[in-house]
Amino acid sequence: MEILKKIEERKEELFEILCELIRIDSQSFGNTGESREIADFIAKQFEDMGYEADVYSPLSIEGMKEHPDYWGLHELENRFNVSAVIPGKDHTRRLMLAAHSDTVAIGDRRNWTVDPFGGIIKDGKIWGRGACDDKYGIATALFLFRLFKDEGIEFPCDIVFTAYCNEEYGGSHGALAACLKYPCDDIINMDCKNFEIWICAVGGEEMRAHISAQDSVDDCGVMLDGLAVLKDEFASFREKRYAELKAHPEYADTVIPDTSVRFMEMKAGNAGADLGKASVEVCYYAAASREKIEEEFTDMAKRIDDRLQPMGLKFDRYEKETRFFHFGKSEKENPVVEKLIASAKEASGRVLTPCGSCQSDLSIFLKYGSPRAISFGIGRDFGAYGGAHQADEHIDCDRLLEFAKIMGKFLSE
């Protein structure tokens, strides 16, 4: 238990690393984003430890734009990964630890009671954008690598750490680039919540449905009945998604089936313009294949149009707001999962339960990285005050310390 004692003694270093990461603006705005500064910061941390760091753009990967999971609506010119290889005892096996460096936008600053880039510690919490999604994962890795280096502790196998870009808003090019450039036997994506172990990646995407008036109108109120039709059709679509996810044991006892379709935006008109235009954006979770989903959307479009025509409205088109997330499961026999569960029990007495994920880049890590890829972490729920994507985002210092102890125990044996 010496490693746990060392982590406890140096915990303030862990907290300060996360604060420093939060103070670096790495917001993503969907199609655009900038992550060079945070990549360079992380690279310098590794170089100060004596490790070589590789800062690279997903566009530098040969064949990226031709890859079946390349999604061209996100520019990548200013987004960068940083990876470092730390040698261990067994050079025949590689374990990747990964966490994403980009964050969602801060939104209206008036909704924050703290500086979103302040990286402050108060009330036993660390506050700022990225605190729980997902800079705590990067901070934990940097802290443990430095501690192990200082204490002369050797990892059981070679470790590849990657802080990857372009996770938010369904990009996933950073995760894909890491998988293609640094093949590994196992992957732990430290982008997860509530000490869960995600062994299954949910599918789906964010999709917008557009409708319009057949003739010119001077009042967008006429579009409200059309929006009600869209809401009704997506409610039926949700029933199918609920049934298929409820049938999977990894999801049956989670909140995912109940939130399998969430309405992200309903809009009619545009500040006095486009009064005959309306749209609904949904985020949906699915276990079905892309082909099956596309068939359902084709049928839905016809039903929507048939219902809109008598109202003087019509269905226009669907518009993808994110890439498609592939449903996937980790191999049933997974020694990494077993070791993590044992490490948590020894480090803090916590019992970890494997389950399914929300939409995340675990989808990419499973499909293109390793069939044993999993996610493990302590992010906070989207709907919680100060949770992921919320104003006043924060993470509890005690939970961060416990996470570091579990990961430290895991990596030391």
Side-chain angles (χ1 to χ4, degrees), residues 68-99:
D69 262 297
Y70 175 75
W71 192 57
L73 294 184
H74 280 192
E75 61 82 14
L76 298 173
E77 284 72 14
N78 298 311
R79 308 195 208 217
F80 295 88
N81 283 6
V82 55
S83 297
V85 180
I86 295 91
K89 297 175 185 176
D90 181 1
H91 301 306
T92 66
R93 178 172 167 263
R94 268 185 168 188
L95 167 69
M96 179 182 288
L97 300 181

Side-chain angles (χ1 to χ4, degrees), residues 4-28:
L4 303 182
K5 181 182 177 182
K6 293 293 183 182
I7 292 171
E8 180 73 37
E9 290 174 351
R10 297 176 61 170
K11 63 185 178 182
E12 298 302 327
E13 296 176 35
L14 169 64
F15 302 155
E16 182 54 33
I17 292 171
L18 178 53
C19 289
E20 289 184 84
L21 290 165
I22 290 169
R23 291 171 193 142
I24 300 172
D25 181 352
S26 56
Q27 294 175 91
S28 172

